[in-house]
Amino acid sequence: MIPATSMEPRPRDDELARSWARAIARTSYVSMSREELVTHLEQPARRLIAALAADDYDPRVPTEVGAGLVAAHFTHPSSLQRTLAVLGAQLAPAALAGQRLARLGELQGAVAAGYTQAMQDRALHEQEQIRTAVMDARAEADRARWASEARFQALFAEAAVGIGIATVDGRVIEVNRALCDMFGYSAEEMIEHVVADFVHPDDAPDVWRTYDDLATGRRDHFRMDKAYYRSDGQKIWTDLVVSLIRSQDGVPLFVVAMVEDITDRQRLQTQLRHQASHDPLTDLPNRTLFYDRLNAMLTDPPPGARVGLCYLDLDGFKAINDTFGHDVGDELLRTVAGRLAARLADDGHLVARTGGDEFVVLIGGSSGTQGLVAVAETALAAVRAPLDLDGHAIEISASLGLVERAATATTAAELMKAADTTLYWAKADGRDRWALFDTERYARDVSRYRLTSQLPEALAQGQFFLEYQPLVSLRDGTLTGVEALVRWRHPELGVLGPDQFIGLAEETGLIVALGRWVLGEACQQGQRWRVTHPHRDLLISVNLAVRQVRDPAIVTTVTEILDGSGLDPRWLQLELTESAVMATSGQPLQTLHALADLGARIAIDDFGTGYSNLAYLRDLPVGTLKLAGSFIAGLRHADRPDRVDREILSTLVRLAHTLDMTVTAEGVETADQADALRRLGCDTAQGWHYAAAGPAQSVTALLTR
Ligand code: C2E
Ligand code: CA
Ligand code: CA
């Protein structure tokens, strides 16, 4: 070995460090200032200089210096390159001088080797780091997925809502506890089934189509209320949400069903709906439900469809209620309702309670009045069966109005109005019966109603007028009097006879005012005839209705009218029917006496049609018997007269004469009748054989002749 001598120029480590620092400063990103770098490089510079000069060269020093560069993050390839260049340039003179150029080469090589090795180590380390980082990351992801799955599992298992997963062909593959509880099966039991096993027949009809749409991927979810069977056979109602799970490429895989038990809610709703449409007392359908059904039948009915209804009202229910109390009344309604429903509702008819003691049976699929009448008979029988209510044996009946017609031609309002009118007929015809709607009777009712409402106006407007029909002496054919008969010149209907409006005027009470007008008019005309024909005895006969006789003011009215017209009371005859005289005792009899006391003559009209009790009339101030036309009809043919009628008439006439009454025969139409009546001893006659009723002038003409 060659020993180092003091003559060798020895490089300065600080200069090397400075040059080195300058060369590599910008080659890599290192967070050191230039001064710090110089300081950092002084030690390796010193070690390299020492290694170059040392007698026993240690290659570990330059190797470590090379690695140190990497450790200090001078990792760019130019860092090494420049380092080697600086070392060459700075150390070459000393190496030359000490003949150690070879060692310098060796040293540079070792620096490069150390550097490269360090670089390799570092790459490996980094790879390892990345690998572990990746491993760590993967482990973390697994953990996260596991956590989310656990969360899902917990949710699925513990959810209050039932969840089931099935394959698209309906095989149940997973269910949670809530679903098991809801259906009353264990999870294992449920998984053995297919979805269809739980389906209740109360399904909405389009469920399966909807489900099919989902299973085949035409839709992704649906929601509906749906009924299922529980394991114990009970029905449950659910709010069902079904979603489809597809594979990544869109193929339907699973069906997830979220099932909420809404049986209680449904039950409450059903209960509320029931309450809104049923009568609380009888639990029958109420008005609302009845009208809903009826309107449904009348809206777009199939061709030929008919509708029939039976409107039922109990007879005398109010009296039972008042007599036995409301509890018994309620019990009665419940019993009747129960019977009607039991005997009729099963046949597809709707039995509803529409009001207090009113029920209605709506016929399902009516085929004509025959079926309707059968229903009515059944209903009548059901009501008639005796009842034992609270110890009271009660019998009750009902009246029924029946209407049956084509569904296209009517409305609910029309039907009910017709049924109401028809029910009224059943009541008016005597109760405990049915009446069937009849268009003609209804039209009559309607026109009667219209006429009734027009009566007061007609009187005020002077639409009434009188005709007079002669009363003729059977002995010599002379005119002895006239009967005043009222007519109504109706603005639209023409002249109406009294049969068309006197009854209406009696019902409404207008007869009192109308009768007063007739009396006044007849008395004035009578007085005119007295004035123009003072030597002719002419009785003015005026009809008095029952209502008029009962009017407390009648005597005053007659008095005032006689005074007003100036007619002597002995020329006035008042015609009263037997019922007006005999119906009630007391007041009318006093009235009769008072009227007779005025000086007017009293005639009994239509004798023979009512009570025909002559003995009763004996004590009354009656001057004339007017024999009803129906009696006289039997005398029409002289060759074969009705022997019995003739006997009766003969007896009547004799009795009347014994009681000082004169006898007038009404409705004398033929000469034969007139002859027969004359032979029987009748005093006066009235009828078309002599003259029909006519205007006052026609009587004036007779008087003048
Ligand atoms: P009534 O008092 O029995 O009057 C006689 C009815 O017989 C009249 O009918 C008359 O036209 C009709 N008649 C007369 N001759 C014959 C005949 O030969 N054959 C037949 N078949 N009939 C004959 P009208 O005018 O239609 O009167 C009907 C009823 O109306 C009367 O029956 C009377 O009860 C009532 N009435 C008429 N005017 C009044 C009135 O001013 N007040 C009241 N309260 N009732 C009246
Ligand atoms: Ca009369
Ligand atoms: Ca009469």
Side-chain angles (χ1 to χ4, degrees), residues 377-422:
E377 293 288 3
T378 306
L380 279 174
V383 176
R384 272 182 206 135
L387 297 133
D388 179 17
L389 295 180
D390 203 12
H392 307 285
I394 293 177
E395 283 191 20
I396 191 157
S397 61
S399 302
L400 280 76
L402 314 186
V403 185
E404 209 279 339
R405 52 178 72 159
T408 39
T410 192
T411 64
E414 270 174 19
L415 269 172
M416 287 317 287
K417 196 166 157 227
D420 193 50
T421 305
T422 314

Side-chain angles (χ1 to χ4, degrees), residues 243-257:
S243 317
L244 180 66
I245 296 186
R246 298 170 186 267
S247 69
Q248 274 172 326
D249 43 355
V251 179
L253 289 182
F254 302 112
V255 175
V256 179

Side-chain angles (χ1 to χ4, degrees), residues 483 543 575 577 604-607 626-629 666 686:
E483 178 177 0
N543 296 283
E575 299 189 8
T577 57
I604 300 299
D605 202 0
D606 297 337
F607 189 83
K626 291 192 76 174
L627 300 180
E666 293 187 282
Q686 174 182 1

Side-chain angles (χ1 to χ4, degrees), residues 35-56:
E35 278 316 304
E36 284 170 338
L37 181 56
V38 172
T39 311
H40 176 79
L41 290 175
E42 274 172 0
Q43 198 227 9
R46 200 180 308 127
R47 289 183 76 195
L48 285 176
I49 289 167
L52 188 65
D55 289 333
D56 51 351

